[in-house]
Amino acid sequence: MNVQAWQGTPAGSRETRQGWLVVASAMIGVALGLSPIPFYTIGMFAPELSREFGWSFASMMGSIGVQSAVVMVASPLAGFAIDRYGARPVALISLGLFGLCFMSLSLSTGSLTLFYGQWVIMSVLGAGTLSATWTRVVNGWFDKNRGLALGIASSGTGITGFLIKPFAAWIIADFGWRTAFVAIGALPILIGIPMVLWLFRENRKANLAVATPGAEEPVEEYGMTLGQALRSVKFWILAVSFFLISFALTAPTPNLENILRSFKFELAEIGAITASFGLAVIAGRIIGGWLLDRFWAPACAFMILLIPAIGSWLLSGDALGSEGAFAAVLFIGFGAGFEFDLLAFLISRYFGQRNYGVIYGCFYTVIAFGGGLGPVVYGYAFDMTGSYGTALRLGIGFVITGGALLLLLGRYPKWEKEAG
């Protein structure tokens, strides 16, 4: 059997200006998708909905749990659609439907069951706006600078975290919460869809074999099928690793305010400290991506994941000053920003692009499970003990173990195909 080795660079890869424009459009798509918008805005709407309908805060935060549970099922299906029909059409349809679903929350009547049902539909129809859609296309444009490109594209979540809260606060204060749902839901439709139509493109190469000069076909992609990936030890190493990492990095995030409150910080100071989290996420995505291009990714990841471990260690003590609190939030935010860049990079290197969408979707299920479980465990630990110390120390062990497991992945593989 004749084989042709391929070391990870797609045929016709062009790290050109057009590729960076694709990155810019992907960043906007990420920023306006299902992952950041509901997560960063539910806290702004919760007091208004509680006042209007008498819902408890716990029941409203349960909507994030509903989203995580649905995404565990929907993300592999979205990944299959991306592989089958292409990322661009999936992104266009899903952005529009997600925006309409988010706008529909303005019609809430007081039925919590109906509210949860809206979140289920929104999570299914919006799954095409998750990271797999955007990172698949970015991977096709870059090899040498793939980590940096992924980092910039994924920084959209940090941009949302930094900007969406003050925007939501302004709309709610001046026009009411129903108008705010409509205004925020319109963003994916009015901004996201035009950007995807204008700039978001798969990398394509001229095919000299076709009859019509200048015609193009998609770049031929190599790598594992889903079945081959599931039979690979590397798949299960990554699955366990990212369950531990996502648990440890997601669990402190919604609990940060309460963690700092347990150290007797005033509300205004808590707000000032936690505001730095979104900027740290952006830094983690861009700096982490840049480092992935220059060092073996598992070793790079292990070293970077020590940073949020230090952040959790600072929060696990009996006393904490303002400087230590700022450092802890920055360190945890930096690690949280690095997580999705790392996953996209490792999947493209160890499993290839052939079935990237569905493989990424499977790992997103793992992340959704770990990320959904972590905050609950931390909250339960606080309810039982009145402190987050034990939970934070568990998180430290998880993130270090998860990083160490990545060292077992070995060298990047060389993909091979049969000669025709």
Side-chain angles (χ1 to χ4, degrees):
M1 180 176 66
N2 296 323
V3 295
Q4 177 182 343
W6 181 75
Q7 301 187 46
T9 306
S13 180
R14 298 172 294 179
E15 302 200 1
T16 63
R17 178 176 176 272
Q18 186 175 358
W20 291 109
L21 291 175
V22 169
V23 169
S25 65
M27 180 180 67
I28 293 171
V30 168
L32 298 176
L34 176 66
S35 179
I37 285 182
F39 183 78
Y40 285 117
T41 59
I42 186 61
M44 304 299 297
F45 287 108
E48 308 301 320
L49 296 171
S50 178
R51 227 176 349 257
E52 182 88 9
F53 303 125
W55 295 343
S56 70
F57 275 71
S59 65
M60 284 180 286
M61 293 303 165
S63 59
I64 298 296
V66 170
Q67 178 180 317
S68 296
V70 174
V71 162
M72 288 175 63
V73 177
S75 55
L77 298 177
F80 173 81
I82 293 164
D83 291 335
R84 177 68 177 83
Y85 302 106
R88 189 167 182 262
V90 169
L92 288 169
I93 294 170
S94 195
L95 280 169
L97 294 176
F98 165 65
L100 291 173
C101 288
F102 196 87
M103 293 168 73
S104 77
L105 296 174
S106 67
L107 304 175
S108 296
T109 61
S111 169
L112 194 58
T113 301
L114 177 60
F115 186 71
Y116 285 162
Q118 289 173 291
W119 279 74
V120 169
I121 296 171
M122 181 172 67
S123 300
V124 171
L125 299 180
T129 69
L130 296 173
S131 297
T133 303
W134 316 106
T135 58
R136 190 190 199 286
V137 175
V138 171
N139 280 332
W141 282 96
F142 292 88
D143 185 67
K144 180 181 178 182
N145 293 302
R146 181 176 294 177
L148 178 60
L150 288 170
I152 294 173
S154 300
S155 67
T157 56
I159 294 171
T160 301
F162 184 64
L163 296 178
I164 200 70
K165 287 180 181 290
F167 177 73
W170 165 56
I171 298 293
I172 291 171
D174 287 1
F175 303 101
W177 63 268
R178 293 185 188 275
T179 302
F181 272 124
V182 174
I184 294 171
L187 296 177
I189 298 171
L190 298 180
I191 299 176
I193 289 178
M195 288 299 295
V196 170
L197 285 170
W198 182 29
L199 297 176
F200 194 63
R201 294 284 189 279
E202 300 268 4
N203 187 6
R204 305 175 78 87
K205 68 180 180 69
N207 180 15
L208 301 180
V210 297
T212 305
E216 295 183 343
E217 66 174 12
V219 174
E220 188 171 5
E221 294 169 339
Y222 305 97
M224 295 185 184
T225 65
L226 177 61
Q228 290 169 334
L230 290 172
R231 293 190 295 271
S232 167
V233 173
K234 289 180 171 62
F235 182 97
W236 298 105
I237 291 174
L238 273 177
V240 175
S241 173
F242 273 90
F243 169 79
L244 297 174
I245 292 169
S246 63
F247 179 102
L249 295 183
T250 305
T253 304
N255 289 289
L256 276 177
E257 288 82 2
N258 202 41
I259 292 172
L260 296 177
R261 192 176 291 114
S262 70
F263 287 105
K264 311 303 181 186
F265 286 101
E266 297 295 330
L267 185 60
E269 193 171 10
I270 290 173
I273 292 170
T274 55
S276 62
F277 186 87
L279 297 178
V281 167
I282 296 173
R285 296 201 187 286
I286 296 175
I287 296 173
W290 183 84
L291 291 171
L292 288 175
D293 290 327
R294 286 153 179 81
F295 303 98
W296 181 51
C300 178
F302 179 74
M303 298 303 297
I304 290 178
L305 290 172
L306 295 177
I307 296 173
I310 294 171
S312 291
W313 175 76
L314 289 171
L315 295 176
S316 68
D318 296 326
L320 185 69
S322 296
E323 294 82 2
F326 266 112
V329 170
L330 288 171
F331 290 171
I332 293 173
F334 189 92
F338 179 64
E339 178 186 7
F340 284 101
D341 291 1
L342 176 64
L343 177 61
F345 189 92
L346 291 176
I347 291 174
S348 69
R349 290 304 191 200
Y350 286 100
F351 301 103
Q353 289 285 99
R354 183 177 178 184
N355 284 128
Y356 177 89
V358 70
I359 293 173
Y360 189 104
C362 291
F363 282 110
Y364 203 96
T365 296
V366 173
I367 287 178
F369 180 53
L373 181 64
V376 176
V377 171
Y378 272 44
Y380 180 78
F382 179 78
D383 289 339
M384 293 295 101
T385 67
S387 167
Y388 286 95
T390 300
L392 286 161
R393 285 188 285 272
L394 175 68
I396 294 169
F398 273 21
V399 74
I400 292 176
T401 302
L405 284 173
L406 296 177
L407 300 175
L408 302 177
L409 290 174
R411 299 175 61 185
Y412 302 141
K414 294 182 180 180
W415 305 113
E416 297 181 337
K417 72 162 187 173
E418 288 190 25

